[in-house]
Amino acid sequence: MKMIKGPALFLAQFAGDEPPFNSLENIAKWAGSLGFKGIQMPSWDKRLFDLERAANDLDYCKEVTDTLAKYGLELTELSTHLQGQLVAVHPVYDEMFDIFAPDHLHGKPDERQQWAVEQMYLAAKASKNFGLTAHATFSGALLWPFVYPWPQRPQGLVETGFAELAKRWKPILDAFDEAGVDVCYELHPGEDLHDGVTFERFLKEVDNHPRANILYDPSHFILQQLDYLAFIDRYHERIKMFHVKDAEFNPTAQQGVYGGYEGWVERAGRFRSLGDGQVDFKGIFSKLTQYDYDGWAVIEWECCMKHPEAGAEEGSRFVSEHIIRITEKAFDDFAGGEADEASNRRILGLGGK
């Protein structure tokens, strides 16, 4: 068996304008002091990271890795969640998603989409320059406005949507394949890839592309009431990345999965700091270890109540306590004995035959 690496921290929710969250040097020092061993980098936040430089400047890449190493950290993966979202946007969301793109692209959906694709190509090159093997992103969504079939969806609408999504992503997947990097889609409500069925639809459309893989995040599955442990059994060969994020689902007489447009605190399904929710992490770490997942356990902190710094500090200990130190021998070896083919045949009553 192989051993999960960690704890690591996704920096997206922590970057800010005030120290220690305003530069890579400062935030690395802070994360290292909490016991983190790796960080997952949001590639869109220039306060911490320059994606274009990383794609074209090996000296800059060394500067980044050296800064992290100074505080006992490794770069686990790059993230293009925001750029990946913009690869496919239904027009109803155009104005709201403009915020993910540079100002000069606002109100220009076609140019914004092309920019997002170019960002993905840069991410493939940068990941290769860092020697990374996995990349985190979103799929984007053309079909999300039609997730509930009312009014009845026109025949072929879903098939057309997934064919177009695959058409947009196939060249990107090929670029990551040339770079030797897996694209790990975070299966997430709001994305066309949000559960196992939609991932399989996409996988079929991209001809089972070897670089089309999964970022496993159980919090999004518990909010959908999906069997997140059985999910690992079914898809473990495609799970190449792991976000350690907690959540809870407490339906009432008033609301369930859809949440009634309530804020995060009032929703039946809500994200919580590690250990404060309902996710069975002992089961998850056991199954991932069973299936030889040897990637990083990356905390993506989101909670509607707890302070993020408390969540990071507690989360580092939480992940460390859940990573299973793998055994190098069977627990019943003490009762065994030396054996060879001849003795095995004698035990079976086969003699020398």
Side-chain angles (χ1 to χ4, degrees), residues 147-209:
V147 67
Y148 195 84
W150 180 256
Q152 187 183 76
R153 290 186 290 253
Q155 186 173 0
L157 180 72
V158 172
E159 289 76 9
T160 299
F162 272 91
E164 177 63 25
L165 189 71
K167 178 182 176 182
R168 297 185 186 194
W169 275 102
K170 182 63 162 54
I172 298 171
L173 289 167
D174 289 343
F176 273 89
D177 191 32
E178 291 179 10
V181 181
D182 291 319
V183 177
C184 300
Y185 296 101
E186 183 171 358
L187 305 185
H188 188 293
E191 311 301 320
D192 280 345
L193 307 191
H194 56 269
D195 59 11
V197 171
T198 52
F199 178 73
E200 289 183 27
R201 281 184 181 273
F202 178 74
L203 202 57
K204 181 179 179 182
E205 291 292 335
V206 294
D207 301 320
N208 291 307
H209 201 293

Side-chain angles (χ1 to χ4, degrees), residues 86 89-101 106 112:
L86 299 181
V89 176
H90 188 279
V92 73
Y93 293 116
D94 269 340
E95 185 172 347
M96 289 186 289
F97 279 141
D98 266 348
I99 194 173
F100 291 174
H106 292 186
R112 185 190 64 198

Side-chain angles (χ1 to χ4, degrees), residues 213-245:
N213 290 288
I214 294 170
L215 191 171
Y216 175 80
D217 184 334
S219 69
H220 302 300
F221 294 161
I222 201 169
L223 266 57
Q224 295 182 67
Q225 291 297 278
L226 184 154
D227 188 336
Y228 55 87
L229 291 176
F231 184 96
I232 299 174
D233 292 326
R234 184 178 180 99
Y235 297 108
H236 60 88
E237 292 181 352
R238 292 278 179 172
I239 295 173
K240 305 293 185 179
M241 201 178 297
F242 174 26
H243 269 178
V244 193
K245 189 167 79 171

Side-chain angles (χ1 to χ4, degrees), residues 272-327:
R272 300 299 308 276
S273 266
L274 286 178
D276 294 344
Q278 298 169 347
V279 175
D280 177 7
F281 283 107
K282 287 186 177 180
I284 289 170
F285 276 83
S286 292
K287 281 189 176 290
L288 289 175
T289 300
Q290 171 189 341
Y291 290 118
D292 284 338
Y293 174 79
D294 61 350
W296 286 88
V298 180
I299 294 173
E300 183 186 19
W301 178 88
E302 290 181 357
C303 184
C304 57
M305 286 185 270
K306 185 168 285 184
H307 194 282
E309 292 181 47
E313 184 177 356
E314 295 171 8
S316 177
R317 293 194 301 269
F318 185 93
V319 171
S320 295
E321 291 169 358
H322 278 76
I323 290 176
I324 297 172
R325 180 183 176 186
I326 58 173
T327 181

Side-chain angles (χ1 to χ4, degrees), residues 31-71:
S33 71
L34 296 180
F36 287 103
K37 298 179 180 178
I39 61 100
Q40 187 177 87
M41 185 75 76
S43 66
W44 59 86
D45 197 319
K46 291 291 183 67
R47 292 170 297 191
L48 306 180
F49 184 76
D50 189 318
L51 178 59
E52 187 170 356
R53 283 189 67 189
N56 296 294
D57 186 348
L58 290 176
D59 288 336
Y60 173 72
C61 294
K62 185 176 186 303
E63 178 184 325
V64 170
T65 54
D66 286 350
T67 298
L68 297 179
K70 191 176 358 176
Y71 302 106

